[in-house]
Amino acid sequence: MTRRLPWALDARADAPFPPAETALREPDGLLAVGGDLTPVRLLNAYAGGVFPWFSDGQPLLWWSPDPRMVFRTDGVHLSSRFRRSLRASPWVVRADTCFAEVIAACATSVRPGQDGTWITDAMREAYVALHRMGYAHSVEVFEGERLVGGIYGVAIGRMFFGESMFSAASGGSKVALAALAHRLAQWGWPLIDAQVENDHLPSMGGEHWPRERFLALVREQVRRDAPVGSWAMEFGEMAAAVLANQES
């Protein structure tokens, strides 16, 4: 039997993606190859439940796995022990004050079981461009002036697509994710896309959703009205200690 190949993307940046439901089963979720990382292409991809994931030396690869790892914004869990440690924490959380630093830290973080990073220089430039347009955002955890953790991703409508997070101090990424979820829940945003599972996400409340369920919610949420632009003022400054009172 002939093995089906992923779609080859049209050279036009605004060309539509193939339906995410047509992604390959092996490797899980590989949908398309080629194209570019222009803002219009990236926004079209995310709105269709698709994201880029490739390494230096590979062609651009586009994915929509089944199932999908997600967090309900009211469902991020921090352990009781960790929440107790936050009660006296001096950390504060802000948004969109140092996006380039967050993505750089994510790109250079050493991750067990991974050789190198998928956040290539081209990826960094593309997401910084989306940030300047008001579509990509970072949530940052500070101890004084030191950046100790963060997360970044893409927002379309009222849907947040998480890309990567990092810790420069133990628990920094957990606080960034929990603070993001807390604020998005207050804003009425229901879901954070976490793309694929790693060892830590299920313990924090990550859920496996069938792709069909995920895509149905994405298609609804990306059509909802939400301001485009910096989150710095709307997000404000949140004391990490606030998260100690969240139910686990």
Side-chain angles (χ1 to χ4, degrees):
M1 183 174 68
T2 302
R3 183 175 181 273
R4 187 168 67 82
L5 298 176
W7 290 73
L9 289 182
D10 191 293
R12 292 183 301 110
D14 62 349
F17 275 79
E21 293 88 345
T22 63
L24 301 183
R25 291 188 177 276
E26 182 59 39
D28 177 34
L30 181 58
L31 175 69
V33 61
D36 51 47
L37 295 172
T38 55
V40 65
R41 178 103 60 186
L42 284 169
L43 294 174
N44 283 342
Y46 284 104
V50 178
F51 60 89
W53 188 23
F54 61 97
S55 299
D56 269 331
Q58 290 183 324
L60 273 67
L61 303 175
W62 303 85
W63 303 80
S64 185
D66 185 15
R68 191 79 160 224
M69 175 62 62
V70 302
F71 286 92
R72 290 177 290 105
T73 57
D74 62 356
V76 172
H77 303 319
L78 299 174
S79 70
S80 297
R81 180 179 179 182
F82 187 64
R83 286 189 291 116
R84 284 197 298 272
S85 73
L86 289 179
R87 290 181 184 135
S89 174
W91 291 358
V92 296
V93 187
R94 306 182 186 109
D96 285 348
T97 67
C98 56
F99 182 90
E101 289 86 343
V102 170
I103 193 170
C106 290
T108 56
S109 291
V110 177
R111 303 175 194 273
Q114 291 184 5
D115 181 15
T117 179
W118 72 96
I119 308 174
T120 64
D121 288 347
M123 290 275 273
R124 287 167 65 171
E125 292 172 7
Y127 287 91
V128 168
L130 278 183
H131 172 67
R132 289 173 179 152
M133 295 171 64
Y135 288 103
H137 303 280
S138 59
V139 171
E140 310 123 9
V141 185
F142 291 92
E143 183 172 357
E145 296 303 311
R146 180 189 174 211
L147 184 63
V148 297
I151 185 172
Y152 78 94
V154 175
I156 305 175
R158 295 192 183 185
M159 181 70 204
F160 190 86
F161 302 90
E163 271 296 313
S164 187
M165 54 187 180
F166 82 98
S167 292
S170 180
S173 62
K174 292 180 181 180
V175 168
L177 175 61
L180 169 66
H182 179 68
R183 194 63 91 218
L184 291 180
Q186 291 179 326
W187 295 348
W189 298 38
L191 204 70
I192 297 170
D193 173 29
Q195 299 180 348
V196 294
E197 182 178 343
N198 65 29
D199 292 340
H200 306 294
L201 299 184
S203 67
M204 293 188 66
E207 303 176 4
H208 289 108
W209 278 24
R211 183 169 54 212
E212 181 180 7
R213 179 185 180 190
F214 172 75
L215 292 175
L217 186 138
V218 166
R219 288 163 181 160
E220 172 188 318
Q221 292 301 314
V222 298
R223 292 195 298 264
R224 299 189 65 187
D225 289 335
V228 174
S230 174
W231 282 0
M233 291 189 65
E234 187 177 9
F235 191 98
E237 184 171 284
M238 180 190 306
V242 168
L243 303 172
N245 299 320
Q246 301 303 301
E247 291 298 326
S248 178

